[in-house]
């Protein structure tokens, strides 16, 4: 479909929005899949906007037929197999960050789109991979990192004081987004977030933000929710996101995404009667 024919775009978070592993929904529900498949009928782009890099986006997400991808919390985007933008972390700052992690015995993974590179200090890192069902086939020891291609960092720590020390030292250079219900965090470049990713994505396609919708559940979705014309929070959401949202839908297990798309008439035929 030519880009001038798109009426607008809908941006979806993945973890906690399309799936909710903590609450027993490890894959998108049938209702979610059906609703997403109908979006194109109304000429709306469907775009995944996730903290994950392309290197470990689950197969379940790939099978949903997204038109575009914004990954690593807004640092990278592609559409039709072509890169739209790619914001890398500053290598010198990351080297300092890695040394601090090593001193504090904090496990980390440097995330690029094709591969991620890790250093492990405790079993908490394996716990993180299991908690988020991370596919590890594209993960390698940090010593194998050659060409610089890092968009974001993940840290996993055993004690809160480890995290607080790291945040105090690097809070002026990086943004820390804690993960719900686990001692891990995204670490992103200042000024880069899902909101800036959505803005750049639309600019590359010459689309306005007048008919944009964003659906998420946690604080790393906050800027995306605020930027979109209509921001939607899932039934289970962080307090900050709930305050910023224009609409709160049902939870993942109860087809919250599908209900939101139907509420705003983004799918033509009723999904629920």
């Amino acid at each position: 479909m030519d880009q001038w024919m798109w009426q607008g775009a809908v941006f979806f978070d993945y973890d906690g929005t399309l799936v909710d592993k903590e609450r027993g929904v490890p894959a998108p529900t049938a209702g979610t899949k059906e609703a997403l498949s109908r979006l194109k009928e109304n000429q709306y782009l469907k775009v995944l906007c996730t903290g994950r890099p392309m290197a470990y986006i689950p197969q379940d997400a790939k099978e949903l037929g997204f038109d575009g991808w914004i990954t690593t919390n807004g640092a990278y985007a592609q559409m039709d197999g072509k890169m739209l933008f790619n914001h890398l972390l500053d290598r010198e700052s990351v080297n300092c960050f890695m040394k601090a992690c090593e001193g504090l015995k904090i496990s980390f993974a440097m995330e690029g789109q094709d591969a991620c590179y890790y250093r492990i200090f405790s079993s908490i890192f394996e716990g993180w991979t299991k908690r988020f069902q991370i596919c590890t086939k594209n993960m390698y020891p940090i010593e194998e990192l050659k060409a610089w291609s890092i968009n974001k960092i993940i840290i996993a720590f055993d004690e809160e004081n480890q995290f607080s020390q790291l945040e105090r030292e690097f809070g002026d250079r990086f943004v820390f987004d804690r993960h719900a219900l686990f001692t891990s965090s995204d670490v992103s470049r200042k000024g880069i977030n899902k909101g800036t990713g959505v803005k750049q994505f639309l600019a590359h396609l010459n689309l306005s933000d007048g008919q944009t919708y964003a659906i998420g559940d946690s604080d790393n979705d906050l800027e995306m929710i605020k930027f979109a014309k209509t921001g939607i929070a899932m039934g289970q959401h962080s307090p900050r996101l709930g305050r910023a949202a224009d609409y709160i839908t049902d939870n993942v297990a109860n087809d919250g995404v599908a209900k939101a798309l139907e509420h705003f008439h983004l799918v033509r035929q009723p999904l629920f009667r």
Side-chain angles (χ1 to χ4, degrees), residues 14-15 18-29 52 58-61 131-133 252-253:
Y14 184 71
D15 296 289
L18 297 176
V19 299
D20 190 348
K21 301 174 185 68
E22 283 293 317
R23 297 173 178 83
V25 192
T29 65
R52 295 171 180 252
Q59 189 62 32
D60 285 329
R131 161 70 174 80
F132 292 97
Q133 295 185 357
V252 178

Side-chain angles (χ1 to χ4, degrees), residues 176-189:
F176 292 78
D177 284 306
R178 289 286 299 268
H179 299 156
L181 306 176
F182 203 79
T183 54
S184 57
S185 176
D186 290 344
V187 183
S188 306
R189 176 177 158 183

Side-chain angles (χ1 to χ4, degrees), residues 148-194:
W148 189 249
S149 57
I150 303 304
N151 301 99
K152 186 169 72 73
I153 308 168
I154 286 286
I155 57 172
F157 47 93
D158 296 283
E159 304 291 340
E160 285 294 327
N161 69 305
Q162 292 174 295
F163 176 79
S164 60
Q165 288 184 60
L166 199 62
E167 189 177 35
R168 279 198 302 271
E169 184 174 352
F170 291 94
D172 61 334
R173 282 175 273 182
F174 299 107
V175 175
F176 292 78
D177 284 306
R178 289 286 299 268
H179 299 156
L181 306 176
F182 203 79
T183 54
S184 57
S185 176
D186 290 344
V187 183
S188 306
R189 176 177 158 183
K190 281 269 189 180
I192 299 293
N193 53 61
K194 289 187 179 183

